[in-house]
Amino acid sequence: MHNFSLLSAYFDRVPHENGNKYYLYEEVWTEYATATLSTVFMYVAIALAVILIGIGIFVRLKKPERFSAFFRTGATVAVTFALTVTVTMLTLGFAKISEKGYAEGENMLLELVPPLVLGGVIVIGIIACYASHFFTPKTFKITLISTLSCIGLAFVATVVCLIVFFTKNIKNDGYYGEEINQLALYLSSVGLIAVIVGTAVVADLKNKTAFDSRCIALAGICVALSFALSYIKMFSMPQGGSVTLASLLPVMLFSYVYGAKKGVFVGCIYGALQAMQNPWLIHPAQFLLDYPVAFASAGLAGAFKKITQLDKLPQIKFALGAVAASALRFTAHVFSGVFAFGADAGGDSLWLYSLGYNSYVFVDIAIVIAVGVLILSSKNFVKRIDLYAKVKKQPVVETEDKPTETEEN
């Protein structure tokens, strides 16, 4: 009976003065489950990587003709694990929203629902594009255009909802509202977007790889792996942000394979998905800086691939791109901290506070670089990704049937 009473204290909700009902012990179950499963998934991911790499080396040495089949099997196992982690952790995230009573407030719906819808549209769109490539090229093209249109509409709707949310809840709240510099937020967002896109275009001028079904499939796999790894956290920061188990590595490797322009686009998509995880949103421009813009910079990991002087050192080219990407990501978070979250500085220098707080980015990227350099030290892996990069869009050339010599006679 006592145990039942204790459990009911955690499960039952009691009314508060504002009329809403809340749990007596908010986040007890979801926080414990999230922390525990994150640790479990981290060790499983490490063990799975060691096992797959070990088997891959054995197959390559003893049965090289079967390595391609093993590679496909390994990719399937990795994606299955990624989907398991994603579904499990997202379910806990939704439980946390319900546990805290966020879903019952109209204002919170303006902050939480739009990122979830945007993420859902992205996931469904990737699945639809992958499925459509089994049909005709025309079907794939129509699906791709429809997907991009829906993502664009969902993105605009998210920004509009955040504008309404900011106006109703943050602008005059006496805490964040007094410190937010809206003009600086918008200018820094536009400036960083221009720098990232401009750098990607310049670095990718001679890139002829096609944005075809194969590219879409690999992009979906890399985004899924990065999203799953982002739930496996070494440690989390109190006001958002965390050091993960090389979560940006798949997206950065995609950029290295297909180039900076495609990498920036996929990084932006991944950043939008990141807003689904425990979103910390108070302003539309802050949303851009901390999510799509910050993670779009990861696409610059392939910016130095075309440097022919370093063709024998792919590790160096990847590391240089990763450092440039992390510098821009760090800049985006710093601008967000100074112009949107200045109230959290507690009277300290805004710039020093933001620079110090967001320095965790360099720890996160150091793990990515270490693992990426190790992977790119494998000549077989480099040859395989080079094969992907050499797949180009072949123009359709119509030729007239020429008569044979017998027919001419």
Side-chain angles (χ1 to χ4, degrees), residues 75-327:
T76 302
V77 171
V79 172
T80 301
F81 173 73
L83 291 176
T84 302
V85 174
T86 300
V87 171
T88 302
M89 301 304 280
L90 278 178
T91 301
L92 285 173
F94 295 147
K96 182 177 180 180
I97 291 173
S98 174
E99 188 178 62
K100 297 189 72 173
Y102 282 170
E104 298 178 4
E106 177 184 354
N107 294 330
M108 287 298 181
L109 294 179
L110 291 171
E111 180 191 24
L112 295 175
V113 172
L116 295 178
V117 173
L118 176 60
V121 170
I122 291 172
V123 172
I124 294 172
I126 291 174
I127 295 173
C129 287
Y130 178 75
S132 67
H133 95 280
F134 291 104
F135 299 92
T136 64
K138 183 178 180 180
T139 302
F140 171 75
K141 185 177 181 179
I142 292 173
T143 306
L144 179 61
I145 294 174
S146 301
T147 297
L148 294 177
S149 299
C150 291
I151 291 175
L153 290 173
F155 183 82
V156 171
T158 299
V159 172
V160 171
C161 288
L162 287 175
I163 291 174
V164 176
F165 174 78
F166 171 77
T167 304
K168 293 179 64 176
N169 297 275
I170 305 298
K171 189 174 183 180
N172 299 310
D173 69 345
Y175 184 70
Y176 286 122
E178 295 180 356
E179 300 289 340
I180 290 179
N181 189 332
Q182 294 196 68
L183 178 60
L185 276 174
Y186 285 118
L187 289 177
S188 57
S189 299
V190 173
L192 278 176
I193 290 171
V195 170
I196 293 171
V197 174
T199 303
V201 171
V202 171
D204 245 13
L205 283 176
K206 297 181 180 180
N207 190 346
K208 303 298 182 182
T209 53
F211 213 159
D212 55 11
S213 57
R214 189 177 189 180
C215 178
I216 293 290
L218 185 60
I221 291 172
C222 290
V223 169
L225 290 173
S226 285
F227 192 66
L229 289 172
S230 68
Y231 278 111
I232 304 176
K233 302 176 181 180
M234 305 295 189
F235 64 85
S236 298
M237 302 296 288
Q239 273 85 41
S242 59
V243 173
T244 62
L245 188 64
S247 62
L248 280 176
L249 180 61
V251 170
M252 286 185 166
L253 286 177
F254 173 86
S255 172
Y256 188 80
V257 173
Y258 279 103
K261 285 190 295 187
K262 296 178 182 66
V264 165
F265 176 76
V266 171
C268 182
I269 294 295
Y270 172 67
L273 282 176
Q274 277 291 299
M276 296 175 65
Q277 291 188 24
N278 194 23
W280 204 289
L281 308 174
I282 62 174
H283 191 277
Q286 173 264 321
F287 160 71
L288 293 176
L289 285 172
D290 279 334
Y291 296 100
V293 173
F295 291 99
S297 65
L300 297 180
F304 294 89
K305 187 181 180 182
K306 299 300 180 182
I307 299 178
T308 55
Q309 293 87 343
L310 296 174
D311 281 345
K312 294 183 179 180
L313 295 170
Q315 310 95 318
I316 301 299
K317 292 194 284 187
F318 175 80
L320 288 174
V323 169
S326 64

